[in-house]
Amino acid sequence: MNQARQLIRKALGTYLPLVPFLIFALFPVVWMLISSFKSDRELYDLSATPFWISKGIVLAHYRELFFETSFVTWISNSFQVSILATAISLVISVFAAYALVRLRFPGAAVFAVAIFVTYLVPHALLFLPMNQVVNFLGLADSRWALVVTYPTFLVPFSTWLIMGYLKSIPKEIEEAALIDGCSRIQVLFKVVIPIAIPGIMCATLFSFTLCWNEFLYALTFISSTTEKMAPVGVIAELIRGDIYFWGALMAGAITASLPIVFVYVFFLDYFMSGLTSGATKG
Amino acid sequence: MASVTAIERPGATWQRLRQRLEGETAMGYMLVTPAMLLILCLVVYPFMMAVWLSVSDARVGNWGQFIGFGNYVYLFGDELFLRSIRNTFLFTFSSVALKLVLGLGLALLLNKEFVGQRFVRGAILLPWVIPAALSTIGWMWMFDPLFSVFNWTLRELGLSEDGVPWLGRPGWAMFSVILVNTWRGLPFFAICFLAGLVSIPKELYEAAEIDGAGPIAKFWYITLPMLKPVMFIVILFSAVLTFSNFEIIYILTQGGPVNSTHVFATLAHTVGLISGNLGRGAAISMFMFPVLLLVVFITLGVLRKDDS
């Protein structure tokens, strides 16, 4: 009797209020997935019930996406840019974070603040002059423009995140290594980096996601079809004037989100810890 | 450190310490240089250029002349710009307020122990993970004037024959972009608040219970005050991001209908790149700077207080 009452209370107090949140969070994604598998005939049929597929699952939109657009190139561009920009940024960030947390040198505090301020500078503030800079570097209309500019927001972010992680590692381990005769560089590579792997992993995941999801720079720096990143490519090429190719758009949105969703499902705990440490430790 | 040096001869320790200090400064600068160069060349320099552009009549492909505060003076007399200020603040304020209230509620729910907790937490994060530009396209399809799934449902339920003009009327369009922004940002709020909730010591609640506090009193006198620092930081971060949001509005409404959803970012893009008036576009962007500065100062103050 008591147990039953407890169960009901749990259902009413926890599960029931969660339902609207879950529907709100998941419905748009489910809706995109359903739409991408519908035939055009069903997609544009006002009398059909939109919540399920009644006239057969159709792969036409995916076929259109893969064979009639440069989707494969866009995905490949997204991977190239995201991996390269992330790799460059992490090397820079690990060095900077270590120096700022562990080494005492004049100007360190000022530099830490500079990193923090840069972290908050919105893209929308800098995209117009950045466009000029990219032209000046001869990178206009090339995905390399993104490899060069993405570190501007990845480095502050990753440095800040890795700094938070390094602060939580006791100094004594490094000091022991220094006294044993290791040089600073050796300490960095043989002691600090191996211990900081979880923090670095977390920064890597977030950086990759930020690159993959970036839109404003990817939209404004690049106009050639074959240089585009996946999100911009899907939106720019499947909306032609006033005509929206909804089926293919949904297929593209789902497929271009998949790599990020995979990364996130595998590393959910890293995402969680990164989010929370980013928030509480700044 | 102290325990190790204690057993060494004082002279040797002193020498080692000096060596290390000397090395430390050089090392510090060496390791920080790449990041410093990046920030100087690709953040500070473009920012100076933004300042220059905003006081020039530069156009795409033309460096332009110095025209003083001409762009700013023009903007303050421009109905469209004044409207975009109102839009930006309305958009930011409403979205952040919604994310705050809903995020707090969701975090309180997620903080309970229940079967399937991990799955629910993961599912809740999904909107925040997938590219905003792509999920916004999904929302656009849900807001379609003819085939909107919401309007279909309203029609079937007999609530509204014509449906809602989600993106077609100024008021509704603003509502829709706020809704999508809330959808996208809610997981971030919820998970950060959840982290804050987890870190509140259980003893506080136990002590309050002994003193006879009910659930509302516990929430008001323990949960909220303990969450305040996290809430503060999350709100500030989100305010900067929402204030400068581009893709949701660019994709859903392009600032329309009749400019009712234009915000700083979309207007700067339209004026600066589409119309090619770089100087004026940069001047619009510069209006984000005071807000950014304010947030930076407040956040640094809060962080410093936390450290001490």
Side-chain angles (χ1 to χ4, degrees):
Chain A
M1 191 58 204
N2 224 350
Q3 225 172 3
R5 192 175 294 164
Q6 221 168 19
L7 211 69
I8 292 172
R9 182 184 289 174
K10 185 132 240 177
L12 286 180
T14 308
Y15 290 108
L16 201 64
L18 270 174
V19 170
F21 281 111
L22 276 173
I23 293 178
F24 183 48
L26 294 181
F27 179 72
V29 184
V30 173
W31 179 242
M32 285 157 78
L33 197 63
I34 294 176
S35 299
S36 72
F37 286 111
K38 279 181 186 171
S39 62
D40 270 339
R41 201 154 47 93
E42 188 176 355
L43 213 50
Y44 303 121
D45 179 358
L46 276 174
S47 59
T49 307
F51 296 106
W52 54 80
I53 304 170
S54 48
K55 290 179 189 158
I57 292 171
V58 162
L59 290 176
H61 300 307
Y62 286 90
R63 209 173 297 132
E64 193 185 332
L65 183 72
F66 277 94
F67 299 113
E68 287 163 35
T69 72
S70 309
F71 186 70
V72 179
T73 313
W74 302 332
I75 288 283
S76 143
N77 289 344
S78 271
F79 269 111
Q80 287 173 31
V81 169
S82 305
I83 290 173
L84 265 175
T86 301
I88 295 170
S89 305
L90 270 138
V91 173
I92 300 177
S93 303
V94 169
F95 286 166
Y98 176 70
L100 292 176
V101 170
R102 284 292 195 265
L103 305 180
R104 284 177 189 284
F105 57 97
V110 176
F111 191 68
V113 171
I115 290 258
F116 177 75
V117 174
T118 324
Y119 175 26
L120 280 175
V121 173
H123 301 188
L125 181 63
L126 291 184
F127 78 104
L128 288 171
M130 205 69 122
N131 219 341
Q132 309 285 88
V133 173
V134 163
N135 286 340
F136 171 76
L137 292 173
L139 297 174
D141 198 15
S142 149
R143 58 187 184 277
W144 293 101
L146 304 179
V147 176
V148 171
T149 50
Y150 281 0
T152 57
F153 56 89
L154 300 182
V155 166
F157 172 78
S158 309
T159 307
W160 204 253
L161 209 148
I162 296 172
M163 274 171 75
Y165 193 84
L166 287 180
K167 275 180 200 160
S168 69
I169 302 175
K171 242 189 211 151
E172 284 72 21
I173 307 173
E174 290 158 51
E175 278 164 355
L178 278 174
I179 285 164
D180 285 348
C182 280
S183 68
R184 278 277 173 193
I185 288 282
Q186 282 173 320
V187 169
L188 176 58
F189 281 98
K190 292 190 177 154
V191 181
V192 177
I193 292 179
I195 300 178
I197 287 289
I200 296 173
M201 264 302 277
C202 191
T204 310
L205 289 174
F206 273 96
S207 298
F208 184 83
T209 312
L210 284 173
C211 284
W212 193 279
N213 295 2
E214 205 283 330
F215 189 73
L216 182 56
Y217 287 178
L219 174 80
T220 49
F221 297 167
I222 293 169
S223 51
S224 304
T225 304
T226 52
E227 291 290 315
K228 281 188 169 125
M229 298 279 277
V232 178
V234 166
I235 288 166
E237 309 281 324
L238 290 168
I239 303 175
R240 292 175 203 145
D242 281 346
I243 306 166
Y244 290 75
F245 295 83
W246 285 118
L249 272 169
M250 293 303 112
I254 290 289
T255 317
S257 301
L258 276 183
I260 288 296
V261 173
F262 272 126
V263 167
Y264 148 81
V265 167
F266 279 119
F267 299 102
L268 180 61
D269 294 324
Y270 280 114
F271 266 95
M272 291 279 192
S273 73
L275 258 180
T276 50
S277 75
T280 51
K281 287 188 207 120
Chain B
M1 196 53 205
S3 60
V4 180
T5 47
I7 51 170
E8 283 182 328
R9 281 175 300 122
T13 315
W14 178 240
Q15 201 179 10
R16 191 169 290 151
L17 203 69
R18 235 180 61 188
Q19 236 172 18
R20 195 174 306 148
L21 272 176
E22 279 166 12
E24 223 169 302
T25 307
M27 242 339 246
Y29 285 127
M30 213 169 71
L31 291 178
V32 152
T33 302
M36 190 112 67
L37 279 178
L38 180 83
I39 289 178
L40 278 178
C41 299
L42 289 171
V43 180
V44 176
Y45 174 67
F47 179 74
M48 309 282 240
M49 217 157 121
V51 175
W52 156 251
L53 286 174
S54 76
V55 292
S56 78
D57 60 354
R59 303 191 64 85
V60 172
N62 171 4
W63 273 95
Q65 300 280 317
F66 177 73
I67 55 163
F69 291 106
N71 288 321
Y72 294 96
V73 171
Y74 172 88
L75 285 175
F76 275 116
D78 182 25
E79 188 49 44
L80 173 54
F81 175 70
L82 295 177
R83 180 150 198 186
S84 82
I85 297 182
R86 286 198 298 274
N87 291 341
T88 309
F89 277 95
L90 177 64
F91 175 70
T92 307
F93 187 79
S94 316
S95 307
V96 173
L98 272 173
K99 285 184 271 195
L100 175 64
V101 174
L102 294 174
L104 188 57
L106 183 52
L108 288 171
L109 287 172
L110 291 177
N111 194 29
K112 296 181 180 181
E113 299 228 351
F114 57 92
V115 182
Q117 196 189 43
R118 205 181 130 82
F119 166 79
V120 172
R121 286 182 181 180
I124 288 291
L125 258 183
L126 201 59
W128 189 76
V129 174
I130 55 181
L134 296 175
S135 51
T136 304
I137 276 290
W139 278 96
M140 197 174 180
W141 171 228
M142 296 197 288
F143 290 144
D144 190 85
L146 205 55
F147 301 102
S148 165
V149 60
F150 301 135
N151 287 350
W152 185 90
T153 312
L154 289 175
R155 217 168 28 243
E156 287 298 302
L157 293 173
L159 290 172
S160 161
E161 198 46 48
D162 302 327
V164 170
W166 297 103
L167 303 173
R169 297 265 172 71
W172 279 109
M174 183 50 90
F175 170 83
S176 302
V177 292
I178 290 169
L179 179 69
V180 177
N181 187 277
T182 305
W183 177 81
R184 159 93 181 155
L186 181 58
F188 177 72
F189 275 67
I191 297 297
C192 290
F193 290 169
L194 178 63
L197 287 176
V198 172
S199 69
I200 300 177
K202 294 264 182 302
E203 291 78 19
L204 289 179
Y205 292 106
E206 285 160 12
E209 262 166 49
I210 293 169
D211 290 344
I216 294 171
K218 278 191 284 185
F219 176 74
W220 194 254
Y221 293 109
I222 300 174
T223 312
L224 269 189
M226 292 299 281
L227 267 186
K228 227 165 74 184
V230 178
M231 272 164 106
F232 210 64
I233 299 282
V234 171
I235 290 172
L236 287 173
F237 275 44
S238 172
V240 172
L241 287 177
T242 313
F243 201 75
S244 62
N245 187 285
F246 173 77
E247 57 253 55
I248 291 177
I249 291 170
Y250 173 79
I251 292 169
L252 278 181
T253 65
Q254 306 249 325
V258 284
N259 302 318
S260 58
T261 54
H262 251 315
V263 290
F264 287 158
T266 52
L267 192 65
H269 179 258
T270 309
V271 172
L273 283 184
I274 297 178
S275 315
N277 200 332
L278 270 182
R280 200 167 292 159
I284 296 169
S285 293
M286 287 309 292
F287 278 91
M288 291 179 215
F289 190 62
V291 174
L292 172 72
L293 217 56
L294 187 73
V295 168
V296 166
F297 275 120
I298 300 175
T299 318
L300 282 177
V302 172
L303 288 179
R304 206 156 282 157
K305 217 167 65 189
D306 271 9
D307 277 349
S308 58

